[in-house]
Amino acid sequence: MTSSNKLLSRMATVLVFAFPMLILCVPRGAGVFLAGVGVLALLGWRGMGRAWREYADVLTPLATAVLAFMAVYVGSKLYFHTPWNVIDNPSRTLLAILTCWAIVRAAPNPAWLWRGITVGLFLALLIVGYQKFALGVERPSAWLQAIAFANMIAALALVGFARPGDSRAAHAEAWINVLLAILILMLNGTRGAVVALLVTAVPMLLIRYRRLGVRMFVVAGAAVAVLSSGAYLVPDSPVSKRVNQAVTEVQQYEQGNTETSVGMRLKIWHIGLQYFSEHPWTGVGVGQFARILHGSEFCQHTESLACVLEHAHNDIVEAASTTGIPGLITMLGLFLVPAALFGRTMRASGARAIPQGVSLGGAGLSVVLASLICGLTQVTMAHQANVVFYAGLIGLLLGMAGREAHAASAGGA
Protein backbone atom coordinates (compact mmCIF):
# COMPACT_ATOMS: atom_id res chain seq x y z
CA MET A 1 0.00 0.00 0.00
CA THR A 2 1.40 3.39 -1.00
CA SER A 3 1.78 6.24 1.50
CA SER A 4 -1.15 8.12 -0.08
CA ASN A 5 -3.37 5.05 0.21
CA LYS A 6 -2.33 4.60 3.85
CA LEU A 7 -3.28 8.23 4.57
CA LEU A 8 -6.63 7.76 2.82
CA SER A 9 -7.30 4.59 4.81
CA ARG A 10 -6.51 6.35 8.09
CA MET A 11 -8.79 9.26 7.21
CA ALA A 12 -11.58 6.83 6.34
CA THR A 13 -11.04 5.00 9.63
CA VAL A 14 -11.37 8.28 11.53
CA LEU A 15 -14.63 9.02 9.69
CA VAL A 16 -15.96 5.53 10.43
CA PHE A 17 -15.12 5.97 14.12
CA ALA A 18 -16.67 9.44 14.24
CA PHE A 19 -19.89 8.53 12.40
CA PRO A 20 -21.98 7.57 15.48
CA MET A 21 -20.85 10.67 17.40
CA LEU A 22 -21.44 13.00 14.47
CA ILE A 23 -24.93 11.65 13.90
CA LEU A 24 -26.05 11.46 17.55
CA CYS A 25 -24.12 14.11 19.44
CA VAL A 26 -23.10 16.93 17.10
CA PRO A 27 -25.54 19.57 15.80
CA ARG A 28 -25.68 19.21 11.99
CA GLY A 29 -23.28 16.29 12.31
CA ALA A 30 -24.95 14.55 9.36
CA GLY A 31 -23.69 17.36 7.13
CA VAL A 32 -20.18 16.97 8.53
CA PHE A 33 -20.27 13.25 7.71
CA LEU A 34 -21.52 13.96 4.20
CA ALA A 35 -18.65 16.41 3.69
CA GLY A 36 -16.19 13.81 5.01
CA VAL A 37 -17.36 11.25 2.46
CA GLY A 38 -16.96 13.84 -0.27
CA VAL A 39 -13.38 14.55 0.84
CA LEU A 40 -12.55 10.83 0.75
CA ALA A 41 -13.92 10.54 -2.78
CA LEU A 42 -11.96 13.57 -3.97
CA LEU A 43 -8.69 12.48 -2.40
CA GLY A 44 -9.02 8.94 -3.73
CA TRP A 45 -10.32 9.86 -7.17
CA ARG A 46 -7.46 8.19 -9.02
CA GLY A 47 -8.52 4.76 -7.81
CA MET A 48 -12.30 5.21 -7.82
CA GLY A 49 -12.78 3.69 -11.27
CA ARG A 50 -10.74 0.62 -10.39
CA ALA A 51 -12.62 0.28 -7.09
CA TRP A 52 -15.97 0.30 -8.92
CA ARG A 53 -14.85 -2.41 -11.33
CA GLU A 54 -13.45 -4.52 -8.51
CA TYR A 55 -16.57 -4.24 -6.35
CA ALA A 56 -19.18 -3.94 -9.10
CA ASP A 57 -21.08 -6.92 -7.67
CA VAL A 58 -21.96 -4.72 -4.67
CA LEU A 59 -21.95 -1.22 -6.10
CA THR A 60 -23.99 -1.89 -9.26
CA PRO A 61 -27.07 -3.41 -7.53
CA LEU A 62 -26.97 -0.70 -4.86
CA ALA A 63 -26.71 2.05 -7.48
CA THR A 64 -29.52 0.49 -9.51
CA ALA A 65 -31.85 0.46 -6.48
CA VAL A 66 -31.08 4.06 -5.51
CA LEU A 67 -31.24 5.44 -9.06
CA ALA A 68 -34.53 3.62 -9.75
CA PHE A 69 -35.94 5.20 -6.59
CA MET A 70 -34.73 8.64 -7.69
CA ALA A 71 -36.09 8.18 -11.21
CA VAL A 72 -39.59 7.47 -9.90
CA TYR A 73 -39.50 10.40 -7.48
CA VAL A 74 -38.17 12.87 -10.05
CA GLY A 75 -40.72 11.54 -12.55
CA SER A 76 -43.50 12.12 -10.02
CA LYS A 77 -42.27 15.66 -9.38
CA LEU A 78 -42.27 16.43 -13.12
CA TYR A 79 -45.63 14.79 -13.76
CA PHE A 80 -47.39 16.72 -10.99
CA HIS A 81 -45.33 19.93 -11.40
CA THR A 82 -44.51 20.07 -7.72
CA PRO A 83 -41.65 22.26 -6.37
CA TRP A 84 -38.12 20.89 -6.63
CA ASN A 85 -37.69 20.98 -2.84
CA VAL A 86 -39.78 17.79 -2.58
CA ILE A 87 -36.76 15.95 -4.00
CA ASP A 88 -34.33 17.37 -1.42
CA ASN A 89 -34.57 14.63 1.20
CA PRO A 90 -35.02 11.70 -1.24
CA SER A 91 -31.94 12.85 -3.19
CA ARG A 92 -29.80 12.20 -0.12
CA THR A 93 -30.21 8.47 -0.69
CA LEU A 94 -27.50 8.96 -3.32
CA LEU A 95 -25.13 9.17 -0.35
CA ALA A 96 -25.40 5.38 -0.02
CA ILE A 97 -23.70 4.92 -3.39
CA LEU A 98 -20.98 7.51 -2.77
CA THR A 99 -20.27 6.23 0.75
CA CYS A 100 -20.03 2.59 -0.31
CA TRP A 101 -17.83 3.57 -3.26
CA ALA A 102 -15.51 5.72 -1.13
CA ILE A 103 -15.25 3.02 1.54
CA VAL A 104 -14.27 0.20 -0.83
CA ARG A 105 -11.67 2.58 -2.27
CA ALA A 106 -10.28 3.85 1.06
CA ALA A 107 -10.34 0.53 2.98
CA PRO A 108 -10.89 1.73 6.58
CA ASN A 109 -10.40 -0.52 9.59
CA PRO A 110 -13.91 -1.79 10.54
CA ALA A 111 -12.88 -2.38 14.16
CA TRP A 112 -13.11 1.36 14.78
CA LEU A 113 -16.81 1.40 13.90
CA TRP A 114 -17.60 -0.83 16.88
CA ARG A 115 -15.53 1.41 19.16
CA GLY A 116 -17.21 4.52 17.84
CA ILE A 117 -20.68 3.11 18.46
CA THR A 118 -20.03 2.45 22.15
CA VAL A 119 -18.55 5.93 22.63
CA GLY A 120 -21.37 7.54 20.66
CA LEU A 121 -24.10 5.78 22.65
CA PHE A 122 -22.44 6.67 25.95
CA LEU A 123 -22.18 10.35 24.98
CA ALA A 124 -25.77 10.32 23.72
CA LEU A 125 -26.92 8.94 27.09
CA LEU A 126 -25.14 11.79 28.87
CA ILE A 127 -26.77 14.35 26.59
CA VAL A 128 -30.35 13.04 26.88
CA GLY A 129 -29.88 12.49 30.62
CA TYR A 130 -28.92 16.15 31.02
CA GLN A 131 -31.81 17.28 28.84
CA LYS A 132 -34.27 15.14 30.79
CA PHE A 133 -33.24 15.80 34.36
CA ALA A 134 -31.56 19.21 34.21
CA LEU A 135 -33.57 20.93 31.48
CA GLY A 136 -36.86 19.08 31.94
CA VAL A 137 -37.23 18.11 28.26
CA GLU A 138 -40.13 15.65 28.01
CA ARG A 139 -38.67 13.61 25.13
CA PRO A 140 -34.93 14.38 24.97
CA SER A 141 -33.25 13.69 21.64
CA ALA A 142 -30.04 15.73 21.57
CA TRP A 143 -30.46 18.11 18.60
CA LEU A 144 -32.64 15.89 16.41
CA GLN A 145 -36.32 15.14 15.95
CA ALA A 146 -37.30 12.74 18.76
CA ILE A 147 -38.49 9.79 16.65
CA ALA A 148 -35.64 10.03 14.15
CA PHE A 149 -33.10 10.16 17.00
CA ALA A 150 -34.60 7.09 18.67
CA ASN A 151 -34.54 5.11 15.43
CA MET A 152 -30.84 5.92 14.99
CA ILE A 153 -30.13 4.79 18.55
CA ALA A 154 -31.85 1.45 17.94
CA ALA A 155 -30.01 0.82 14.66
CA LEU A 156 -26.57 1.70 16.04
CA ALA A 157 -27.10 -0.45 19.12
CA LEU A 158 -27.90 -3.41 16.88
CA VAL A 159 -24.75 -2.81 14.82
CA GLY A 160 -22.81 -2.67 18.07
CA PHE A 161 -24.46 -5.87 19.23
CA ALA A 162 -23.28 -7.66 16.07
CA ARG A 163 -19.62 -6.76 16.72
CA PRO A 164 -17.15 -9.63 16.11
CA GLY A 165 -15.48 -11.56 18.90
CA ASP A 166 -16.26 -14.54 21.09
CA SER A 167 -14.41 -13.43 24.22
CA ARG A 168 -16.20 -12.39 27.38
CA ALA A 169 -15.05 -8.82 26.82
CA ALA A 170 -16.51 -8.78 23.29
CA HIS A 171 -19.85 -10.17 24.48
CA ALA A 172 -19.91 -7.71 27.37
CA GLU A 173 -19.34 -4.73 25.08
CA ALA A 174 -22.06 -5.99 22.73
CA TRP A 175 -24.59 -6.11 25.59
CA ILE A 176 -23.41 -2.73 26.91
CA ASN A 177 -24.41 -1.21 23.57
CA VAL A 178 -27.92 -2.64 23.91
CA LEU A 179 -28.19 -1.54 27.54
CA LEU A 180 -27.08 2.01 26.72
CA ALA A 181 -29.64 2.15 23.92
CA ILE A 182 -32.47 0.95 26.16
CA LEU A 183 -31.63 3.56 28.77
CA ILE A 184 -31.63 6.27 26.10
CA LEU A 185 -34.93 5.04 24.63
CA MET A 186 -36.52 4.92 28.06
CA LEU A 187 -35.69 8.61 28.49
CA ASN A 188 -36.73 9.41 24.93
CA GLY A 189 -39.99 7.48 25.03
CA THR A 190 -40.29 6.47 21.35
CA ARG A 191 -42.26 3.22 21.19
CA GLY A 192 -41.41 2.14 17.65
CA ALA A 193 -37.66 2.27 18.24
CA VAL A 194 -37.96 0.13 21.38
CA VAL A 195 -39.94 -2.47 19.45
CA ALA A 196 -37.44 -2.39 16.57
CA LEU A 197 -34.49 -2.86 18.91
CA LEU A 198 -35.93 -5.72 20.94
CA VAL A 199 -37.51 -7.58 18.02
CA THR A 200 -34.38 -7.38 15.86
CA ALA A 201 -32.10 -8.33 18.77
CA VAL A 202 -33.62 -11.82 18.79
CA PRO A 203 -32.40 -12.96 15.32
CA MET A 204 -29.15 -11.08 15.98
CA LEU A 205 -28.44 -13.59 18.74
CA LEU A 206 -27.58 -16.00 15.93
CA ILE A 207 -24.80 -13.62 14.92
CA ARG A 208 -23.68 -12.83 18.44
CA TYR A 209 -23.53 -16.47 19.57
CA ARG A 210 -23.11 -18.36 16.30
CA ARG A 211 -20.36 -20.61 17.75
CA LEU A 212 -22.14 -21.45 20.99
CA GLY A 213 -24.75 -24.06 21.74
CA VAL A 214 -28.50 -24.02 22.23
CA ARG A 215 -28.12 -23.44 25.97
CA MET A 216 -26.27 -20.17 25.51
CA PHE A 217 -28.76 -19.06 22.86
CA VAL A 218 -31.62 -19.67 25.31
CA VAL A 219 -29.79 -17.74 28.02
CA ALA A 220 -29.18 -14.84 25.64
CA GLY A 221 -32.82 -14.89 24.56
CA ALA A 222 -33.84 -14.75 28.20
CA ALA A 223 -31.56 -11.74 28.63
CA VAL A 224 -33.44 -9.91 25.87
CA ALA A 225 -36.73 -10.80 27.58
CA VAL A 226 -35.40 -9.49 30.91
CA LEU A 227 -34.32 -6.22 29.31
CA SER A 228 -37.75 -5.89 27.69
CA SER A 229 -39.53 -6.56 30.98
CA GLY A 230 -37.21 -4.25 32.87
CA ALA A 231 -37.81 -1.38 30.45
CA TYR A 232 -41.55 -1.82 31.02
CA LEU A 233 -41.70 -2.62 34.74
CA VAL A 234 -39.27 -0.04 36.14
CA PRO A 235 -41.30 2.40 38.30
CA ASP A 236 -42.34 5.51 36.35
CA SER A 237 -40.82 4.04 33.18
CA PRO A 238 -41.56 6.20 30.12
CA VAL A 239 -41.74 2.97 28.10
CA SER A 240 -44.61 1.57 30.17
CA LYS A 241 -46.39 4.91 30.07
CA ARG A 242 -46.11 5.12 26.30
CA VAL A 243 -47.18 1.47 25.80
CA ASN A 244 -50.19 1.82 28.10
CA GLN A 245 -51.05 5.08 26.38
CA ALA A 246 -50.98 3.34 22.99
CA VAL A 247 -53.36 0.61 24.19
CA THR A 248 -55.75 3.21 25.58
CA GLU A 249 -55.62 5.26 22.40
CA VAL A 250 -56.44 2.23 20.23
CA GLN A 251 -59.49 1.58 22.40
CA GLN A 252 -60.49 5.24 22.08
CA TYR A 253 -60.10 5.08 18.30
CA GLU A 254 -62.44 2.08 18.17
CA GLN A 255 -64.96 4.27 19.98
CA GLY A 256 -64.58 7.07 17.42
CA ASN A 257 -61.91 9.27 19.02
CA THR A 258 -59.22 10.16 16.47
CA GLU A 259 -57.66 13.03 18.45
CA THR A 260 -54.83 11.00 19.96
CA SER A 261 -51.34 10.15 18.71
CA VAL A 262 -52.33 6.60 17.72
CA GLY A 263 -55.81 7.61 16.61
CA MET A 264 -54.51 10.22 14.18
CA ARG A 265 -52.06 7.73 12.70
CA LEU A 266 -54.75 5.09 12.20
CA LYS A 267 -57.06 7.63 10.58
CA ILE A 268 -54.52 9.08 8.15
CA TRP A 269 -53.36 5.56 7.22
CA HIS A 270 -56.95 4.70 6.35
CA ILE A 271 -57.31 7.87 4.28
CA GLY A 272 -53.96 7.33 2.55
CA LEU A 273 -54.63 3.70 1.63
CA GLN A 274 -58.10 4.62 0.37
CA TYR A 275 -56.53 7.22 -1.93
CA PHE A 276 -53.97 4.65 -3.12
CA SER A 277 -56.74 2.22 -4.03
CA GLU A 278 -58.25 4.95 -6.22
CA HIS A 279 -54.93 6.11 -7.77
CA PRO A 280 -52.67 3.01 -7.65
CA TRP A 281 -50.20 4.01 -10.39
CA THR A 282 -49.46 7.67 -9.76
CA GLY A 283 -50.58 8.59 -6.25
CA VAL A 284 -51.01 12.27 -5.48
CA GLY A 285 -47.41 13.29 -6.18
CA VAL A 286 -44.16 13.06 -4.24
CA GLY A 287 -44.23 15.08 -1.03
CA GLN A 288 -47.94 15.90 -1.41
CA PHE A 289 -49.53 13.69 1.25
CA ALA A 290 -51.09 16.74 2.91
CA ARG A 291 -53.21 17.23 -0.23
CA ILE A 292 -54.78 13.82 0.35
CA LEU A 293 -55.80 14.82 3.86
CA HIS A 294 -57.09 18.24 2.85
CA GLY A 295 -59.16 16.72 0.05
CA SER A 296 -60.63 13.91 2.15
CA GLU A 297 -64.26 13.96 3.26
CA PHE A 298 -63.12 13.48 6.85
CA CYS A 299 -61.03 16.65 6.92
CA GLN A 300 -63.61 18.68 5.04
CA HIS A 301 -66.15 18.01 7.77
CA THR A 302 -63.94 18.14 10.86
CA GLU A 303 -61.15 20.23 12.31
CA SER A 304 -59.10 17.25 13.45
CA LEU A 305 -55.43 17.75 14.26
CA ALA A 306 -54.75 14.85 11.89
CA CYS A 307 -55.65 17.11 8.99
CA VAL A 308 -52.63 19.39 9.50
CA LEU A 309 -50.05 16.60 9.26
CA GLU A 310 -47.61 16.77 6.35
CA HIS A 311 -46.75 13.07 5.94
CA ALA A 312 -48.28 9.67 6.62
CA HIS A 313 -46.14 8.53 9.59
CA ASN A 314 -45.69 5.25 7.72
CA ASP A 315 -43.19 4.54 4.94
CA ILE A 316 -45.48 2.17 3.04
CA VAL A 317 -48.58 4.38 3.19
CA GLU A 318 -46.55 7.47 2.27
CA ALA A 319 -44.88 5.86 -0.75
CA ALA A 320 -48.04 4.14 -2.01
CA SER A 321 -50.34 7.15 -1.71
CA THR A 322 -47.90 9.73 -3.12
CA THR A 323 -45.99 7.81 -5.81
CA GLY A 324 -48.18 4.76 -6.43
CA ILE A 325 -47.02 1.23 -7.09
CA PRO A 326 -43.74 2.29 -8.81
CA GLY A 327 -42.79 4.42 -5.82
CA LEU A 328 -43.74 1.71 -3.35
CA ILE A 329 -41.62 -0.89 -5.17
CA THR A 330 -38.57 1.35 -5.49
CA MET A 331 -38.88 2.55 -1.89
CA LEU A 332 -38.88 -1.05 -0.68
CA GLY A 333 -35.90 -1.64 -2.97
CA LEU A 334 -33.88 0.76 -0.81
CA PHE A 335 -34.26 -1.78 1.99
CA LEU A 336 -34.50 -5.15 0.26
CA VAL A 337 -31.62 -4.76 -2.20
CA PRO A 338 -29.09 -3.89 0.55
CA ALA A 339 -30.53 -6.74 2.63
CA ALA A 340 -29.86 -9.20 -0.19
CA LEU A 341 -26.32 -7.83 -0.61
CA PHE A 342 -25.64 -8.08 3.12
CA GLY A 343 -26.90 -11.65 3.14
CA ARG A 344 -24.63 -12.54 0.24
CA THR A 345 -21.54 -10.93 1.78
CA MET A 346 -22.29 -12.61 5.10
CA ARG A 347 -22.48 -16.04 3.48
CA ALA A 348 -19.25 -15.44 1.56
CA SER A 349 -17.42 -14.43 4.73
CA GLY A 350 -18.93 -17.28 6.72
CA ALA A 351 -17.84 -19.83 4.16
CA ARG A 352 -14.23 -18.69 4.58
CA ALA A 353 -14.47 -18.21 8.36
CA ILE A 354 -13.99 -14.42 8.37
CA PRO A 355 -15.82 -13.32 11.56
CA GLN A 356 -15.58 -9.60 10.86
CA GLY A 357 -17.28 -10.05 7.48
CA VAL A 358 -20.09 -12.07 9.07
CA SER A 359 -20.56 -9.40 11.73
CA LEU A 360 -20.66 -6.59 9.17
CA GLY A 361 -23.19 -8.47 7.04
CA GLY A 362 -25.31 -9.30 10.07
CA ALA A 363 -25.12 -5.70 11.27
CA GLY A 364 -26.34 -4.51 7.89
CA LEU A 365 -29.28 -6.89 7.99
CA SER A 366 -30.18 -5.65 11.48
CA VAL A 367 -30.17 -2.03 10.27
CA VAL A 368 -32.48 -2.90 7.39
CA LEU A 369 -34.90 -4.86 9.60
CA ALA A 370 -34.94 -2.22 12.34
CA SER A 371 -35.48 0.53 9.76
CA LEU A 372 -38.41 -1.35 8.23
CA ILE A 373 -39.99 -1.74 11.66
CA CYS A 374 -39.40 1.91 12.54
CA GLY A 375 -40.86 2.86 9.16
CA LEU A 376 -44.23 1.48 10.23
CA THR A 377 -44.77 4.54 12.45
CA GLN A 378 -42.71 7.23 10.73
CA VAL A 379 -41.51 8.29 7.27
CA THR A 380 -37.79 7.87 6.65
CA MET A 381 -37.72 10.60 3.99
CA ALA A 382 -39.43 13.14 6.24
CA HIS A 383 -36.26 14.03 8.17
CA GLN A 384 -33.01 14.98 6.49
CA ALA A 385 -30.82 13.57 9.28
CA ASN A 386 -32.70 10.28 9.15
CA VAL A 387 -32.12 9.87 5.41
CA VAL A 388 -28.42 10.72 5.72
CA PHE A 389 -28.11 8.31 8.64
CA TYR A 390 -29.71 5.38 6.83
CA ALA A 391 -27.92 6.00 3.53
CA GLY A 392 -24.59 6.67 5.25
CA LEU A 393 -24.74 3.65 7.54
CA ILE A 394 -25.83 1.32 4.74
CA GLY A 395 -22.99 2.63 2.59
CA LEU A 396 -20.43 2.22 5.38
CA LEU A 397 -21.48 -1.31 6.30
CA LEU A 398 -21.95 -2.50 2.73
CA GLY A 399 -18.58 -1.09 1.68
CA MET A 400 -16.73 -2.75 4.55
CA ALA A 401 -18.71 -5.99 4.26
CA GLY A 402 -18.04 -6.05 0.52
CA ARG A 403 -14.31 -5.74 1.12
CA GLU A 404 -14.39 -8.60 3.63
CA ALA A 405 -16.38 -10.82 1.24
CA HIS A 406 -14.02 -9.95 -1.60
CA ALA A 407 -11.06 -10.89 0.58
CA ALA A 408 -12.82 -14.16 1.42
CA SER A 409 -13.33 -14.95 -2.29
CA ALA A 410 -9.76 -14.02 -3.15
CA GLY A 411 -8.47 -16.22 -0.34
CA GLY A 412 -10.45 -19.16 -1.68
CA ALA A 413 -9.37 -18.65 -5.26
Side-chain angles (χ1 to χ4, degrees), residues 113-114 117 154-163 177 363-364 366-367 393 397:
L113 175 63
W114 320 113
I117 286 175
L156 285 173
L158 289 164
V159 175
F161 188 65
R163 73 184 309 279
N177 291 324
S366 73
V367 171
L393 185 54
L397 291 171

Side-chain angles (χ1 to χ4, degrees), residues 170-256:
H171 290 312
E173 185 172 343
W175 283 101
I176 286 172
N177 291 324
V178 174
L179 180 59
L180 288 171
I182 288 178
L183 292 174
I184 294 169
L185 295 176
M186 288 179 67
L187 296 174
N188 172 272
T190 298
R191 293 169 292 219
V194 174
V195 172
L197 173 60
L198 296 175
V199 168
T200 310
V202 175
M204 283 301 102
L205 293 174
L206 297 173
I207 303 297
R208 176 79 262 137
Y209 296 105
R210 57 185 178 273
R211 293 185 178 179
L212 299 182
V214 175
R215 180 180 178 183
M216 191 63 217
F217 181 82
V218 171
V219 171
V224 173
V226 169
L227 288 173
S228 305
S229 301
Y232 182 84
L233 297 174
V234 168
D236 296 322
S237 167
V239 173
S240 63
K241 291 179 181 179
R242 296 280 291 167
V243 171
N244 294 338
Q245 179 186 11
V247 173
T248 301
E249 290 177 0
V250 169
Q251 294 172 344
Q252 292 175 349
Y253 177 78
E254 292 173 345
Q255 297 170 2

Side-chain angles (χ1 to χ4, degrees), residues 343-367:
R344 189 179 68 189
T345 58
M346 187 170 64
R347 289 191 298 272
S349 296
R352 299 297 175 185
I354 300 181
Q356 190 156 251
V358 176
S359 291
L360 287 166
L365 286 173
S366 73
V367 171

